[in-house]
Amino acid sequence: MSGGNLYPLGLRLAGRRVLVVGGGAVATRRVPALLDAGARVVLVSPELTPALRAYVDAGRLDWTSRRFEPSDLDDVWLVQVAVDDPAAAEAVSAAAAERRVFCVRADDRTAATAWTPAVTRHGPVTVAVSGGGDPRRSMAVRDAIRSFLGAGPGPLASGSARQGAPRGTGAGRVALVGAGPGDPELITVKGWRLLTEADVVVADRLVPGLLLDELRPDVELVDASKIPYGPARTQEEINRILVDRARAGSFVVRLKGGDPYVFGRGGEEVLACTAAGVPVTVVPGVTSSVAAPGVAGIPVTHRGVAHEFTVVSGHLPPDDPASLVDWSALARLRGTLVVLMGLKNLARITATLQVSGRPAGTPAAVVQEGTTGQQRVLRSTLGEIAAVVAGAGIRPPAVVVFGDVVTVLEHQPAE
Ligand code: SAH
């Protein structure tokens, strides 16, 4: 079915069922924008990438673990086909056509009844570009508009300039890029530019999914998610991928949540690249240790209140012999204490801080998924926060903040 011009449309998907068939790299890139639009996403696939599994675990994605059946299309407004197998994709689009459900196909644009445009988002403004079926053209125009709107890369930045250049023709290199704490607009201008130039993107679980939605379709996306207690690729495997792809001539962007060097194992990846003779650069990111308290109205320092802030990892309990944190010394500090990865051990951490002298009444707060649409903030005290967090079902990722800064802006009018 060809011919006819495209009829552009903005879909209001909030609360509406959208089916995604497939659980691989394509689905990983497509699901975040659907969730961002508020769609009730139902995903059918025998397998899931760790990033998609994290959405399922967070209750944001409804997953059916099997192959597609036509009844999956019941009550669905739109279907996104994200499987490689053309016969399987064809079965979905045939069933969708029968039910008059629009169907986006990653594998074959000509067989699709709907196309997803190249998109750039600037606050409330969304610009969607269709290139008449040529994704490179639509992305080049989208990139130009993004530069024009000012938030994206400058005119030299060129996803677009590189387009058409065959992959792997330059000397390979790696950039470790901080993606920021969660809001996709909190990546740096430089980080964003390098992302648009990448041939290969190796992304963490904490990376904002919407950043991946804007990648060129020919970019290889490697999901390096390391879900706690779940399926994990070892750090050595990630290092190997970075080095191998760069040696093959690709520009590899290793995209990490927050800042690459704040509990991000960025140093190990730099060492691995250097040891292999692969050029590597680092682009700092906005770290959640400062940004998550910040958006919750908690400045990590405040004149006359705190002249220091300390960021520690709580992933090991205080009495663990492998812990490098001197919790009793931290208890004697007066300033702000920010604990990352501390939910699991929070009761033991707060008990240790109190035993070592920090008053039970010290203000405390927890910020879950700071800077995202799922942000939750609870305030309490050192003595009670562990119970409050457990009772409220606070989940990772979350930072816990202790200190008088927690209440310093409390009586400001809310935004
Ligand atoms: N490099 C990252 C931190 C990685 S460690 C950075 O600089 O932000 C992962 C921990 O970071 C999580 O367990 C959680 O404690 C914290 N974290 C990351 N993103 C967060 C967010 N949006 N809100 C709250 N905490 C977050």
Side-chain angles (χ1 to χ4, degrees), residues 181 206 257-259 262-263 287-288 292 340-341 367 369-370 397-399:
L206 284 178
D259 181 274
V262 179
F263 306 127
T287 175
S288 66
L340 270 59
M341 298 181 280
V367 185
E369 292 176 82
V399 300

Side-chain angles (χ1 to χ4, degrees), residues 136 158-172 197-200 216 218-220 245-246 248-252:
R136 286 177 179 279
S158 7
S160 30
R162 272 183 70 93
Q163 295 191 3
R167 167 180 303 193
T169 45
E197 293 174 359
D199 301 310
V200 180
R216 300 195 317 272
D218 61 315
V219 171
E220 182 193 357
R245 299 294 195 282
S250 289
F251 174 38
V252 185

Side-chain angles (χ1 to χ4, degrees), residues 178 180-183 204-206 228 256-265 285-293 295 312-313 339-343 366-372 375-376 395-400:
D183 177 345
D204 263 359
R205 177 174 53 98
L206 284 178
K256 292 170 155 305
D259 181 274
Y261 284 162
V262 179
F263 306 127
R265 305 192 69 167
V286 175
T287 175
S288 66
S289 55
V290 176
V295 292
V312 298
S313 167
V339 182
L340 270 59
M341 298 181 280
L343 289 189
V366 62
V367 185
Q368 172 186 323
E369 292 176 82
T371 80
T372 75
Q375 176 174 309
R376 291 179 71 191
R395 310 151 35 94
V399 300
V400 187

Side-chain angles (χ1 to χ4, degrees), residues 170-174 241-252 278-279:
R173 63 194 176 101
V174 172
I241 290 169
L242 299 180
V243 167
D244 283 1
R245 299 294 195 282
R247 279 187 173 153
S250 289
F251 174 38
V252 185
V278 168

Side-chain angles (χ1 to χ4, degrees), residues 13-357:
L13 293 177
R16 306 211 152 98
R17 258 168 102 86
V18 172
L19 176 68
V20 175
V21 181
V26 173
T28 304
R29 289 166 61 158
R30 294 300 169 214
V31 162
L34 293 169
L35 292 177
D36 188 61
R40 282 176 46 215
V41 181
V42 181
L43 191 145
V44 178
S45 169
E47 311 280 350
L48 276 193
T49 63
L52 288 169
R53 192 176 291 270
Y55 285 120
V56 174
D57 292 346
R60 301 191 60 204
L61 186 63
D62 195 349
W63 174 38
T64 307
S65 170
R66 57 160 168 72
R67 294 174 69 85
F68 167 79
E69 290 169 8
S71 62
D72 294 331
L73 286 160
D74 294 348
D75 305 323
V76 151
W77 292 70
L78 179 71
V79 57
Q80 171 98 45
V81 185
V83 291
D84 293 332
D85 172 12
E90 186 48 42
V92 181
S93 52
E98 216 167 89
R99 288 168 170 76
R100 305 290 187 265
V101 173
F102 277 108
C103 177
V104 181
R105 274 181 67 169
D107 63 314
D108 181 356
R109 299 175 63 79
T110 58
T113 50
W115 289 345
T116 46
V119 169
T120 178
R121 295 175 176 86
H122 298 256
V125 175
T126 298
V127 181
V129 178
S130 171
D134 177 356
R136 286 177 179 279
R137 190 190 301 145
S138 56
M139 291 206 169
V141 175
R142 185 272 313 271
D143 289 345
I145 295 172
R146 181 195 285 134
S147 313
F148 173 75
L149 289 173
L156 292 176
S158 7
S160 30
R162 272 183 70 93
Q163 295 191 3
R167 167 180 303 193
T169 45
R173 63 194 176 101
V174 172
L176 260 62
V177 173
D183 177 345
E185 288 194 305
L186 287 176
I187 190 170
T188 64
V189 172
K190 183 168 185 176
W192 174 256
R193 175 169 67 79
L194 296 188
L195 195 57
T196 64
E197 293 174 359
D199 301 310
V200 180
V201 174
V202 183
D204 263 359
R205 177 174 53 98
L206 284 178
V207 160
L210 275 183
L211 290 176
L212 306 179
D213 185 59
E214 296 189 21
L215 297 179
R216 300 195 317 272
D218 61 315
V219 171
E220 182 193 357
L221 178 63
V222 180
D223 184 346
S225 297
K226 290 172 281 177
I227 310 287
Y229 318 115
R233 249 187 232 253
T234 61
Q235 186 64 46
E236 292 75 66
E237 173 71 0
I238 295 170
N239 295 351
R240 191 186 60 75
I241 290 169
L242 299 180
V243 167
D244 283 1
R245 299 294 195 282
R247 279 187 173 153
S250 289
F251 174 38
V252 185
V253 165
R254 171 70 170 115
L255 194 60
K256 292 170 155 305
D259 181 274
Y261 284 162
V262 179
F263 306 127
R265 305 192 69 167
E268 292 165 59
E269 292 168 11
V270 166
L271 289 173
C273 290
T274 313
V278 168
V280 55
T281 54
V282 174
V283 180
V286 175
T287 175
S288 66
S289 55
V290 176
V295 292
I298 303 169
V300 290
T301 70
H302 193 74
R303 193 167 64 90
V305 176
H307 289 177
E308 71 206 347
F309 65 97
T310 310
V311 179
V312 298
S313 167
H315 77 287
L316 293 176
D319 53 6
D320 191 304
S323 172
L324 300 175
V325 180
D326 184 344
W327 290 97
S328 54
L330 292 178
R332 291 192 297 278
L333 297 177
R334 297 172 50 180
T336 308
L337 178 61
V338 182
V339 182
L340 270 59
M341 298 181 280
L343 289 189
K344 190 167 51 99
N345 298 316
L346 194 55
R348 292 161 82 175
I349 287 169
T350 52
T352 305
L353 289 171
Q354 290 174 80
V355 167
S356 309

